[in-house]
Amino acid sequence: MWILPPNMSAVDATIVIVTKYVRIFGEISGHPEKTHYSTREEVRRAGLHAHKQAGISGTAHEGADAIVLNGGYPDDCDYGDVVIYTGHGGQDNGKRQIAHQSLDDSGNAALVKSQLDGLLVRVIRGYEEESEYAPTNGYRYDGLFKVVRHWFKTRDDGFRVCQFRLVKHGSAADVLDSDIPHDSLQVADDDPTKSTGPAGRSTVTLNKVNRSAAVVRNVKKWHANRCQICGQSVDLPSGPSSDVAHIRALGAPHNGPDIEENALCLCPNDHRRFDNGALYILNDLRIVDALSGAVEGNLRIHSAHKVKVEYIQYHRSCWVDQ
Amino acid sequence: MWILPPNMSAVDATIVIVTKYVRIFGEISGHPEKTHYSTREEVRRAGLHAHKQAGISGTAHEGADAIVLNGGYPDDCDYGDVVIYTGHGGQDNGKRQIAHQSLDDSGNAALVKSQLDGLLVRVIRGYEEESEYAPTNGYRYDGLFKVVRHWFKTRDDGFRVCQFRLVKHGSAADVLDSDIPHDSLQVADDDPTKSTGPAGRSTVTLNKVNRSAAVVRNVKKWHANRCQICGQSVDLPSGPSSDVAHIRALGAPHNGPDIEENALCLCPNDHRRFDNGALYILNDLRIVDALSGAVEGNLRIHSAHKVKVEYIQYHRSCWVDQ
């Protein structure tokens, strides 16, 4: 039974109920994947997405619970189970880019929070998206995705936009994205369109993972598990430990190679900083703290480990306007 | 063409070729999942496992490429896509436990290395395993598993054994093990037998993940993303970041609850140390460096965050004999 405030009629109360948006992360009861909606307002009333126009549903504090893919940015790329999504901001009313995007925008900050907290994001595709995965009319809820990475891209018009790689939770692409090193005989395949077919059906086998166990082994061995940024290893009862990070990221749209020249031995803390643009490396291998702009040291090197400057430049281009 | 050593006949050379074991991580070409073998020697000749008797194939330096589940330890537990595997060592010839196990054993160290380097391990089940997933005769290659965790367990006879949780790569259990926080309406289900059916077919939906987004949000907020061990946050352009770690681990056989009282706010480095027994916490919240045995400080606390001592005790029991 509903208790109405004294100054409210039953009709008013109905309006209040359908207008209030309760942010829920994950599936919404009664709205399974592939449900179709005629309008953005229907999507909103279903509790799938907070807004009628904006692409990103979320706040910097809570994270993003949903996005709509509807052709708003030419920089978006839709591979089915992998989506490259462009952030919010910097457009005029005519959808022309007139300024850089930034993480100060609450929608962009919300997607970064979802990435860092591992929150799942509902993806809704709209009819205006130019992609084989878009519905021909209206809007369709297409399931839960992880935000696995974000970066900045300089467009041809000179403006910087923020981009996000989202991968469908539980899909073959998700399993591949977990970056399991492997040295069986299959060749790495960086074309994400090959990893999934239409309708989200996966067409790869699990063998086609794109990390080499030998790269991990060599890089850790050369540096004796010491971080090339801070010089420390994480010492466990089983011995020193470290991460092997790729400088130019694997997977679309970066498609960095899985070779030692594109890898760094890092502690987990500096790995997170590196992957999220808290530090970058100059061509002379000085390390810059991106938050203060100060040089914090030099990249530790080993004679056998030839890090390629082109990958360092690529990583830097994801975080600083050059 | 084969060049034989001068003192070797062609017959000898054949024996040499089938005897040499080349350690490959991942699938072995020509030996897909569900292939059946009559004997351990056939398994070895196929290149699936290095040994004819030992359960673990691998070295501390390279990692473990394969294990055989064949009823060697009553402490093993087989849930299909999730396997609790007991390490090597401490048994006499009659398979009676007469000493503690340790990570100095090269098989156990190999499995820890596979965990830390993310190497996939081939799982071979033998007819002597008492489980519905075991073959009725001979041996069967049952696919690639990840080592997601290790710990020690004190058996009823007082001996400590090392245990490993392995999860089938790409299975529903694997997706769940990635610990995505979620706050949709499904209830957490800690019974791993429910997560997979016979023949490795998954019977859960992806909604049944067992982490709460609210727990992650609260714990990070209370501690302002500062690590409860070292006091530092990992500062990113998007703001400070941290991990939320469970004290008593989620999932079988630990089945810790996903509540704030069982969670810590940690930096990624101390998260790795905590999960791998490099540090443990005393009941009075002093932190002990397990490698040196020295107290390294006190757990940082927040008035709203009531960490339960029983979970701290449980974590400690996984790493120190009490």
Side-chain angles (χ1 to χ4, degrees), chain B residues 14-313:
Chain B
T14 308
I15 293 166
V16 169
I17 289 161
V18 299
T19 303
K20 184 167 163 53
Y21 182 79
V22 179
R23 193 178 316 286
I24 290 175
F25 289 89
E27 290 283 333
I28 304 292
S29 185
H31 294 271
E33 200 178 317
K34 302 297 173 204
T35 305
H36 188 271
Y37 306 87
S38 300
T39 63
R40 286 289 302 266
E41 177 59 15
E42 277 187 23
V43 171
R44 197 181 65 83
R45 287 192 195 189
L48 291 175
H49 191 289
H51 306 297
K52 279 200 283 192
Q53 290 217 319
I56 304 168
S57 172
T59 65
H61 171 66
E62 297 169 290
D65 57 309
I67 58 169
V68 173
L69 272 169
N70 199 30
Y73 282 93
D75 311 280
D76 288 353
C77 225
D78 192 344
Y79 303 107
D81 287 352
V82 176
V83 167
I84 312 301
Y85 188 75
T86 307
H88 179 263
Q91 288 186 333
D92 65 10
N93 288 338
K95 297 264 177 197
R96 205 166 52 95
Q97 203 72 27
I98 53 166
H100 295 316
Q101 293 187 351
S102 95
L103 297 183
D104 294 337
D105 178 275
S106 80
N108 299 341
L111 278 168
V112 173
K113 175 139 180 95
S114 290
Q115 177 196 326
L116 294 171
D117 284 6
L119 298 166
L120 295 174
V121 177
R122 290 181 295 275
V123 167
I124 297 128
R125 289 191 174 92
Y127 67 100
E128 292 184 276
E129 194 205 351
E130 286 176 20
S131 140
E132 60 176 307
Y133 303 100
T136 49
N137 57 75
Y139 299 87
R140 191 181 61 223
Y141 165 54
D142 277 346
L144 296 170
F145 283 62
K146 288 179 192 171
V147 186
V148 293
R149 183 177 282 275
H150 73 280
W151 65 90
F152 286 87
K153 171 190 166 184
T154 304
R155 291 158 42 123
D156 290 342
D157 60 16
F159 290 113
R160 305 267 293 165
V161 290
C162 187
Q163 294 200 300
F164 300 88
R165 178 179 163 97
L166 291 97
V167 174
K168 187 158 191 202
H169 183 47
S171 69
D174 184 12
V175 172
L176 298 187
D177 253 36
S178 64
D179 277 351
I180 298 286
H182 208 265
D183 54 13
S184 86
L185 311 169
Q186 284 79 6
V187 181
D189 184 348
D190 278 333
D191 181 355
T193 59
K194 295 238 183 90
S195 74
T196 50
R201 225 164 300 129
S202 76
T203 57
V204 282
T205 66
L206 291 180
N207 308 331
K208 264 197 180 162
V209 292
N210 50 6
R211 288 202 67 169
S212 150
V215 170
V216 172
R217 194 161 47 229
N218 288 337
V219 171
K220 289 188 179 195
K221 184 185 68 188
W222 287 331
H223 295 280
N225 286 287
R226 276 190 288 271
C227 175
Q228 292 185 252
I229 304 289
C230 71
Q232 302 297 308
S233 59
V234 176
D235 293 326
L236 307 179
S238 54
S241 96
S242 60
D243 285 355
V244 172
H246 286 90
I247 305 170
R248 178 173 181 151
L250 303 179
H254 312 294
N255 298 321
D258 185 28
I259 55 177
E260 286 90 346
E261 292 86 341
N262 186 34
L264 292 175
C265 184
L266 298 180
C267 73
N269 284 3
D270 282 324
H271 190 177
R272 181 167 301 175
R273 292 176 71 216
F274 186 77
D275 278 359
N276 292 285
L279 61 85
Y280 55 87
I281 302 169
L282 301 176
N283 289 357
D284 61 8
L285 304 187
R286 281 181 301 159
I287 302 159
V288 178
D289 177 336
L291 279 67
S292 68
V295 171
E296 65 174 61
N298 294 299
L299 191 73
R300 283 153 176 84
I301 53 172
H302 182 278
S303 57
H305 187 198
K306 313 286 185 203
V307 171
K308 269 207 185 158
V309 167
E310 66 176 272
Y311 304 131
I312 289 175
Q313 274 174 328

Side-chain angles (χ1 to χ4, degrees), chain A residues 197-260:
Chain A
R201 223 163 304 129
S202 76
T203 56
V204 280
T205 66
L206 292 181
N207 309 331
K208 263 196 181 163
V209 291
N210 50 8
R211 289 202 67 172
S212 151
V215 170
V216 172
R217 194 161 46 229
N218 287 338
V219 171
K220 290 189 178 194
K221 184 185 68 186
W222 288 331
H223 296 281
N225 286 287
R226 277 192 287 272
C227 175
Q228 291 185 252
I229 304 291
C230 71
Q232 302 296 309
S233 59
V234 175
D235 294 326
L236 306 179
S238 53
S241 96
S242 61
D243 285 354
V244 172
H246 287 90
I247 305 170
R248 178 172 181 152
L250 303 179
H254 312 294
N255 298 322
D258 185 27
I259 54 177
E260 286 90 346

Side-chain angles (χ1 to χ4, degrees), chain A residues 27-312:
Chain A
E27 290 282 334
I28 304 292
S29 184
H31 293 272
E33 200 177 317
K34 302 297 172 204
T35 305
H36 189 271
Y37 306 87
S38 298
T39 63
R40 285 290 300 266
E41 177 60 15
E42 276 186 25
V43 171
R44 197 181 65 83
R45 288 193 195 189
L48 290 175
H49 191 289
H51 306 296
K52 280 201 284 192
Q53 290 218 316
I56 304 168
S57 173
T59 65
H61 172 65
E62 297 168 288
D65 57 308
I67 59 170
V68 173
L69 272 170
N70 199 30
Y73 282 92
D75 311 279
D76 288 352
C77 225
D78 192 343
Y79 303 107
D81 287 351
V82 176
V83 166
I84 311 302
Y85 188 75
T86 307
H88 179 260
Q91 288 187 333
D92 66 10
N93 288 338
K95 297 265 177 197
R96 207 167 50 95
Q97 203 72 27
I98 54 166
H100 296 315
Q101 293 187 350
S102 95
L103 297 184
D104 295 337
D105 177 276
S106 79
N108 299 341
L111 278 169
V112 173
K113 174 140 181 93
S114 290
Q115 177 196 325
L116 294 172
D117 286 3
L119 297 167
L120 294 174
V121 177
R122 288 181 295 275
V123 166
I124 297 128
R125 288 190 173 92
Y127 68 99
E128 291 183 278
E129 193 205 352
E130 286 175 20
S131 140
E132 60 176 306
Y133 302 100
T136 51
N137 57 74
Y139 300 86
R140 191 183 59 223
Y141 166 54
D142 277 347
L144 297 170
F145 283 61
K146 288 178 192 171
V147 186
V148 294
R149 183 177 280 278
H150 73 280
W151 64 92
F152 286 87
K153 171 190 167 184
T154 304
R155 291 158 41 124
D156 289 344
D157 60 17
F159 291 113
R160 304 267 293 164
V161 290
C162 187
Q163 293 200 302
F164 301 88
R165 177 179 164 97
L166 291 97
V167 174
K168 188 159 190 200
H169 183 47
S171 69
D174 184 11
V175 172
L176 297 187
D177 252 38
S178 64
D179 276 353
I180 298 286
H182 210 267
D183 54 14
S184 84
L185 311 169
Q186 285 79 6
V187 181
D189 183 348
D190 277 334
D191 180 355
T193 59
K194 295 235 183 93
S195 74
T196 50
R201 223 163 304 129
S202 76
T203 56
V204 280
T205 66
L206 292 181
N207 309 331
K208 263 196 181 163
V209 291
N210 50 8
R211 289 202 67 172
S212 151
V215 170
V216 172
R217 194 161 46 229
N218 287 338
V219 171
K220 290 189 178 194
K221 184 185 68 186
W222 288 331
H223 296 281
N225 286 287
R226 277 192 287 272
C227 175
Q228 291 185 252
I229 304 291
C230 71
Q232 302 296 309
S233 59
V234 175
D235 294 326
L236 306 179
S238 53
S241 96
S242 61
D243 285 354
V244 172
H246 287 90
I247 305 170
R248 178 172 181 152
L250 303 179
H254 312 294
N255 298 322
D258 185 27
I259 54 177
E260 286 90 346
E261 293 86 340
N262 186 34
L264 293 175
C265 184
L266 299 179
C267 73
N269 284 2
D270 282 325
H271 189 177
R272 181 167 301 175
R273 293 176 71 216
F274 186 78
D275 278 359
N276 291 285
L279 61 86
Y280 54 85
I281 302 169
L282 302 175
N283 289 358
D284 61 8
L285 303 188
R286 281 181 301 158
I287 301 159
V288 178
D289 177 337
L291 278 66
S292 68
V295 170
E296 65 175 61
N298 295 298
L299 191 72
R300 282 153 177 85
I301 53 172
H302 182 278
S303 56
H305 187 196
K306 314 285 184 203
V307 171
K308 268 207 185 159
V309 167
E310 67 176 274
Y311 304 131
I312 288 174

